[in-house]
Amino acid sequence: MSPYSSSGLEVRDLSVTRGAFTLEVDFALPPAGVTVLFGPSGAGKSLLLSAIAGLTPLRSGGVRLDGRWLEGPDAPVRAAAHERRIGLVFQEARLFPHLSVRDNLRYAQARAGVSAAPMGFDEVVAEFGLGDLLGRSVRGLSGGEKSRIAIARALLAAPRWLLLDEPFAALDGRRRRERLVHLRDLSARADLPMIVVTHLVEDVVDLADHVVALRAGRCVISGDVAGAMAGEDFLSLLEDRDVGARIDRPSVRSGGTQARGGAVWVRADTVILASSAPSGLSARHVWAGRVRSMRREAEGSCLVRLETEAGDLLSRITQEAAEELSLSPGGAVWAVVKTHAF
Ligand code: ADP
Ligand code: MG
């Protein structure tokens, strides 16, 4: 029995079809924090959100929220989408193009008919920095602005869960990260559990407390973020160049910088190995460690798994380099990483 069986969100023996595609999953999510729904394009992530929100009927199985069946054989009646209190923010925002930003927000609030929303209109507007946009038409807004409005609109309907399909896809780099960290912070402050879809490994690191991963319509992982990201199942979902390891964000040694908290993803391709303690390097991170295991890959490369002072790391080097360094399991090794690698 799942530890979350009486509260939280349960997706039980769920089966949904779309065209020739079938999604079949079973998992339970804790009633707090951010769950990242991860997987390659076409894996069924958007379809799963649609099913949970009640927009796509199930072929079999059920969805239970805080112990109450919304749909499925044990549900007294099938709860319609608007009765579920599950907010869904689509990837493409789906705002009303003929309405102003203010009217988009007001419309959602009115239609939800919720009198005691935990966050009022002004609060939501301030939360997402929309004050200056209220009078504007939705036409001509940037992708990032539309995402913020779509999330604000969903919040005004006082959801008990918020589902977001690849939010801030229009942003990249630091602005994207700031937005995602804000979402995570909001989830904690507002006590609002979320499911956030992404196919980017950095997003998982920035957002997730819990990870559910799909491949070809099947759930291959459901677990806490640290365990999920360290497993072979997770690595097998990544492109070669994204393979790496999640470690606690390190502090820079000599600069006296405090550790900022959070975690980072260190790609195997960015980790240099040395067979003796290196010195005189510009790289800020040099960690002593030990080889755990080595795996030959195609095209003459070798994936080395290391245990270091900073945590377990992966390094991809050439087989030639592995031989020159005489690397073998159990042997001492130093890992060198530039700060800019994460
Ligand atoms: P993801 O969000 O993970 O990229 P989707 O949930 O959008 O994946 O799609 C899952 C699968 O459903 C796809 O692989 C595709 O085969 C199928 N699919 C999606 N949209 C349609 C559609 N409109 N008609 C038929 N099949 C579809
Ligand atoms: Mg999708």
Side-chain angles (χ1 to χ4, degrees):
M1 203 65 195
S2 153
Y4 311 122
S5 55
S6 61
S7 67
L9 184 63
E10 287 173 83
V11 171
R12 289 300 177 208
D13 300 319
L14 175 143
S15 171
V16 192
T17 56
R18 179 179 282 170
F21 182 86
T22 304
L23 173 72
E24 284 180 346
V25 292
D26 181 282
F27 59 84
L29 303 179
V34 178
T35 295
V36 166
L37 178 55
F38 184 76
S41 178
K45 304 182 298 295
S46 297
L47 184 58
L48 176 56
L49 292 197
S50 169
I52 292 171
L55 299 176
T56 300
L58 308 185
R59 197 174 65 166
S60 59
V63 175
R64 186 151 76 145
L65 181 60
D66 294 337
R68 190 170 78 91
W69 288 103
L70 301 176
E71 183 168 4
D74 296 322
V77 290
R78 177 178 187 270
H82 68 272
E83 295 165 336
R84 295 191 178 195
R85 307 259 321 263
I86 295 178
L88 174 54
V89 179
F90 297 97
Q91 190 174 353
E92 65 281 17
R94 298 196 191 176
L95 303 173
F96 298 114
H98 57 288
L99 296 182
S100 67
V101 171
R102 179 185 285 105
D103 290 343
N104 263 279
L105 296 176
R106 287 283 187 214
Y107 181 88
Q109 195 178 28
R111 201 178 57 156
V114 184
S115 49
M119 289 178 81
F121 187 88
D122 294 341
E123 212 180 331
V124 168
V125 165
E127 184 73 40
F128 287 90
L130 300 177
D132 294 340
L133 296 177
L134 287 176
R136 295 263 301 271
S137 156
V138 162
R139 291 198 183 91
L141 295 177
S142 72
E145 287 166 339
K146 284 181 186 163
S147 299
R148 271 148 61 202
I149 295 160
I151 298 169
R153 184 173 71 167
L155 280 176
L156 287 170
R160 287 191 291 167
W161 273 74
L162 191 57
L163 317 184
L164 301 114
D165 200 349
E166 310 215 17
F168 309 117
L171 303 178
D172 53 29
R174 208 171 94 192
R175 308 220 326 120
R176 176 185 179 80
R177 176 150 201 279
E178 280 168 6
R179 283 286 149 207
L180 295 177
V181 169
H182 171 241
L183 264 190
R184 183 181 177 156
D185 171 64
L186 178 66
S187 170
R189 269 187 292 124
D191 195 17
L192 176 65
M194 300 181 183
I195 301 177
V196 183
V197 170
T198 187
H199 63 275
L200 300 175
V201 66
E202 265 82 11
D203 291 359
V204 189
V205 173
D206 289 340
L207 273 170
D209 297 302
H210 193 89
V211 177
V212 169
L214 299 185
R215 175 196 280 133
R218 302 293 184 275
C219 177
V220 290
I221 300 169
S222 174
D224 79 275
V225 61
M229 293 191 90
E232 287 294 331
D233 286 336
F234 186 80
L235 296 177
S236 75
L237 292 170
L238 303 179
E239 308 270 352
D240 277 351
R241 65 169 185 281
D242 286 334
V243 164
R246 177 185 182 276
I247 60 169
D248 292 333
R249 179 177 287 279
S251 55
V252 173
R253 271 182 190 174
S254 52
T257 314
Q258 290 292 331
R260 273 187 285 163
V264 290
W265 186 250
V266 183
R267 286 181 165 68
D269 287 346
T270 65
V271 179
I272 294 169
L273 297 184
S275 54
S276 55
S279 65
L281 293 176
S282 65
R284 294 293 84 197
H285 304 291
V286 179
W287 296 309
R290 197 164 290 283
V291 175
R292 276 192 193 277
S293 63
M294 299 167 65
R295 190 169 76 205
R296 279 168 175 267
E297 295 185 310
E299 291 166 29
S301 66
C302 178
L303 197 62
V304 184
R305 185 178 286 279
L306 325 162
E307 180 186 7
T308 79
E309 328 167 55
D312 274 27
L313 287 176
L314 288 170
S315 170
R316 181 179 285 124
I317 59 177
T318 63
Q319 286 173 17
E320 206 176 77
E323 280 159 29
E324 255 176 55
L325 296 179
S326 303
L327 295 184
S328 61
V333 73
W334 281 260
V336 180
V337 186
K338 284 168 70 85
T339 299
H340 284 101
F342 45 78

